[in-house]
Amino acid sequence: MENVHILTQRISARGEFLPFSAEHYRNNDPTAIHSLLEKLQTTLNLEELLTIYAAHAKQIMNFSGLQFQSSLGVAQIANSDNSKPPYSFDLDINSEHLGQLIYFCQYPLSGNIEQKLIGLHSALVYPLRNALMYSRVLKLATKDTLTGLNNRSQFNDILAQKLERCRRHHRPFSLMLLDLDNFKQVNDNYGHKIGDDVLQEFANVLCSSIRGTDSVFRFGGDEFAVLIDDPEFTTNKVIAQRVMRLVTESNLMKQYQVTTSIGFTLASSQDCKNGIFARADKGLYKAKAAGRNCARAY
């Protein structure tokens, strides 16, 4: 009953959890750990999870930055200062390794503080594992497994968002469709492993050719798309020329005599998804009819 009494003292009249004092965290008070766990269970976003955790962990250790490294990459709190010495902790559940939690702090980490942080980790690991599982499922739902590019489902969502923004704010954008010339012969003559290598190489070419505001997609097979923030055709032409140049410079593409044909079109506030896609597709057809290895607008 004592723990129940402590918990009720930490709830406001409106039913909100009140912050615990630093003394609660330094002593790894079970009620403070329970409060942390309650808050961690409110999100599946890795950055938000770390932010919630950091607010509690700073009651124990005055760190300047916090970062989590896993097989999914690196997540960290906003404005994380990673210039100070790092203190790393492996986070595991049974035999499953989740990743490394890294604190950046100018002060030495004492054994006592280390044990207190490990106590907080016990509240973090299960919400963290749930967030990692969610991130992996989300990635599978929106990414092409071979190239790592956005997939057709993600294309439909982002195209709809750009069209809505175009209608409301009159911000034009363009759609570029691309496919690979001679790709079927590569698969037929050299096998699908070489075909996969060619597709991955082309995905790298596309990512190297665009700006940070543009998005690249693979629909399947050798069909790709790029959504470009562009008020006129100038950027389309620059990106198309860059793509074709990098394809011709690629040793792999030259070895298997693969080039690319490109069609693009500019969206307007009156457009619908089918209309803009049909125009870009006609531009791609014009490029094929013109002898391939070229770009055409429509």
Side-chain angles (χ1 to χ4, degrees):
M1 294 298 295
E2 183 180 355
N3 284 345
V4 174
H5 175 71
I6 293 173
L7 182 60
T8 58
Q9 297 304 306
R10 303 309 305 164
I11 298 178
S12 71
R14 292 183 296 176
E16 299 169 329
F17 279 100
L18 297 172
F20 288 91
S21 67
E23 192 63 31
H24 283 92
Y25 289 101
R26 282 196 289 270
N27 295 329
N28 272 4
D29 183 274
T31 311
I33 299 295
H34 175 74
S35 173
L36 171 59
L37 187 57
E38 289 269 355
K39 293 177 181 177
L40 290 173
Q41 291 173 342
T42 62
T43 182
L44 289 170
N45 180 280
L46 281 172
E47 282 76 16
E48 291 178 4
L49 202 70
L50 287 178
T51 299
I52 293 170
Y53 173 80
H56 289 249
K58 281 188 175 180
Q59 301 291 336
I60 295 173
M61 177 186 182
N62 185 23
F63 52 86
S64 63
L66 183 67
Q67 188 178 88
F68 178 68
Q69 298 181 0
S70 71
S71 59
L72 291 178
V74 177
Q76 62 186 23
I77 59 174
N79 303 317
S80 182
D81 179 2
N82 303 342
S83 63
K84 303 297 187 292
Y87 297 93
S88 302
F89 292 82
D90 287 316
L91 299 187
D92 304 278
I93 296 179
N94 300 323
S95 59
E96 179 184 0
H97 180 63
L98 302 181
Q100 269 197 337
L101 188 65
I102 305 172
Y103 302 86
F104 297 90
C105 183
Q106 62 179 324
Y107 306 108
L109 183 63
S110 69
N112 183 52
I113 290 178
E114 181 177 344
Q115 290 305 309
K116 300 302 181 185
L117 291 175
I118 290 173
L120 280 190
H121 295 169
S122 65
L124 175 64
V125 287
Y126 283 99
L128 185 60
R129 183 175 68 171
N130 291 339
L132 288 170
M133 292 173 62
Y134 176 75
S135 295
R136 290 188 181 103
V137 170
L138 192 63
K139 185 175 181 180
L140 288 173
T142 60
K143 299 294 183 182
D144 173 59
T145 55
L146 177 65
T147 63
L149 300 178
N150 298 309
N151 63 16
R152 183 64 182 264
S153 173
Q154 187 77 334
F155 170 81
N156 291 334
D157 291 343
I158 295 179
L159 177 58
Q161 293 169 14
K162 285 188 175 293
L163 279 170
E164 179 61 23
R165 188 182 64 179
C166 183
R167 294 186 191 105
R168 293 179 61 187
H169 304 293
H170 303 287
R171 294 181 59 181
F173 67 96
S174 57
L175 169 63
M176 178 180 289
L177 296 180
L178 314 91
D179 71 12
L180 295 176
D181 307 321
N182 199 39
F183 182 70
K184 184 178 184 303
Q185 286 80 356
V186 173
N187 273 335
D188 291 345
N189 296 333
Y190 302 101
H192 290 279
K193 171 61 174 67
I194 298 299
D196 287 349
D197 291 343
V198 168
L199 291 171
Q200 290 172 327
E201 175 75 357
F202 189 60
N204 292 334
V205 164
L206 292 178
C207 291
S208 299
S209 302
I210 64 169
R211 306 162 303 173
T213 55
D214 307 321
S215 303
V216 186
F217 310 83
R218 181 189 174 211
F219 291 167
D222 64 332
E223 298 176 338
F224 296 80
V226 184
L227 286 171
I228 302 168
D229 286 330
D230 185 18
E232 51 191 39
F233 280 132
T234 305
T235 306
N236 284 270
K237 294 175 181 177
V238 170
I239 290 177
Q241 290 168 0
R242 190 178 298 152
V243 169
M244 290 187 292
R245 176 178 59 79
L246 290 176
V247 167
T248 60
E249 292 175 356
S250 165
N251 291 330
L252 183 67
M253 297 297 202
K254 284 192 290 187
Q255 180 180 353
Y256 297 105
Q257 299 180 321
V258 175
T259 56
T260 183
S261 295
I262 304 172
F264 52 88
T265 192
L266 197 64
S268 71
S269 57
Q270 289 77 39
D271 262 321
C272 63
K273 288 193 292 185
N274 291 339
I276 185 175
F277 194 90
R279 289 203 310 276
D281 197 44
K282 288 178 180 177
L284 180 58
Y285 178 81
K286 285 173 63 178
K288 293 288 188 183
R292 305 184 178 188
N293 191 27
C294 62
R296 293 291 185 270
Y298 193 93

